[in-house]
Amino acid sequence: MTRFGFILAAGMCLLPLGAGARGYIERMLHHPVPGGVAVVGLGIAEAPPKAYFKGNDVMVLREGAGHWIAVVGLDLKTPKGAQRLVVEDGRGRREIPFQVGAKAYASQHIKLKNQSHVTPDPEQTRRFEREHKEQMAAYANFRNTGPSNVILDKPVDGRLSSPFGLRRFFNGEERNAHSGLDFAVPAGTPVRAPADGVVTIVADYFFNGKTVFLDHGQGFITMYCHLSEFQVTRGQAIKRGQIIGNVGATGRATGPHLHWNVSLNNARVDPAIFINAFKP
């Protein structure tokens, strides 16, 4: 199947039965704030355009009769104001402006018993740097096929605890903002894939503990951390709803929970957007 044919089919299956074709994804996902998502119209064309934001490939989907949209991830450092999406299509190369609003995030103070999870020693730092490099490579990957769906299932059924974007302080020391969404669920709870994908990482990391990465296509990547055990292997093709692991408390965790990341065009964004739980 050609790339155009696959995206056409994928774009059609992204729509709910009986919904109007145009505008559904925008109504569900368009929250253009730092850590959010901007859905940008690209116009009508027979073939899919290519889109880029800050040098990264951007997901392009067909929504409606020949109408194409870009689904753009905005990291937490994206400034408020005008941004520009670079588009290449049959008309050549052009820029499409869009606006980013403001959003304030709260703070979180966490007490850890293991001080090395606050200030690693040199050997632990070298380990973290190796692991970080591997994860960044996985986030930057862009497969032209997919995704099967962009409105996601929850990976576990449970209470949402720590939200995305929190300024985090470990033992009084500020660290990176919370780049995912936490679910407070018991140890051993099965974790299910929210969309079809390919497993790109199965590893036990210093901070993240036992971790799985799923690549859903077109720069749409999800990460699952602090697992107790794995149910998948690297390179495995996964179907929506398939169990990929079990909840645990490995790595830098104060108790059993699932930490879930979502990345678009190499930008970590609020997973709550994709499960209809976003709070402005």
Side-chain angles (χ1 to χ4, degrees), residues 1-12 42 46-52 56-62 68-71 86-89 142-147 217-219:
M1 181 180 290
T2 65
R3 178 172 183 261
F4 168 64
F6 188 96
I7 293 178
L8 173 59
M12 292 176 68
L42 305 181
E46 291 186 4
K50 292 184 177 180
Y52 309 91
N56 292 303
D57 292 87
V58 168
M59 180 190 296
V60 172
L61 301 173
R62 185 172 183 174
W68 298 94
I69 58 171
V71 183
V86 176
V87 178
E88 294 179 352
D89 56 18
F142 190 92
R143 293 188 299 119
N144 288 329
T145 57
Q218 292 208 68

Side-chain angles (χ1 to χ4, degrees), residues 98-225:
F98 64 95
Q99 290 291 321
V100 174
K103 180 174 170 58
Y105 292 96
S107 298
Q108 180 185 45
H109 292 261
I110 299 173
K111 184 67 175 178
L112 295 174
K113 294 180 180 179
N114 187 348
Q115 184 61 30
S116 70
H117 280 156
V118 181
T119 310
D121 64 31
E123 183 177 348
Q124 292 166 334
T125 298
R126 287 190 292 270
R127 174 187 170 185
F128 165 73
E129 289 172 349
R130 291 193 303 269
E131 295 172 348
H132 180 74
K133 183 177 180 180
E134 182 176 81
Q135 292 172 78
M136 292 305 101
Y139 278 132
N141 191 47
F142 190 92
R143 293 188 299 119
N144 288 329
T145 57
S148 65
N149 50 287
V150 292
I151 310 304
L152 301 178
D153 300 329
K154 292 180 181 179
V156 293
D157 290 323
R159 179 178 61 86
L160 303 181
S161 51
S162 298
F164 174 88
L166 286 172
R167 291 180 58 205
R168 296 185 303 173
F169 296 81
F170 292 103
N171 296 359
E173 298 182 31
E174 185 168 11
R175 293 296 183 263
N176 291 335
H178 193 224
S179 60
L181 178 65
D182 287 355
F183 291 83
V185 289
T189 301
V191 179
R192 298 182 182 274
D196 295 356
V198 176
V199 179
T200 55
I201 287 178
V202 178
D204 192 350
Y205 289 139
F206 180 68
F207 285 124
N208 295 351
K210 291 184 177 179
T211 299
V212 170
F213 270 59
L214 295 181
D215 185 332
H216 305 288
Q218 292 208 68
F220 194 25
I221 314 292
T222 55
M223 178 179 75
Y224 309 81
C225 296

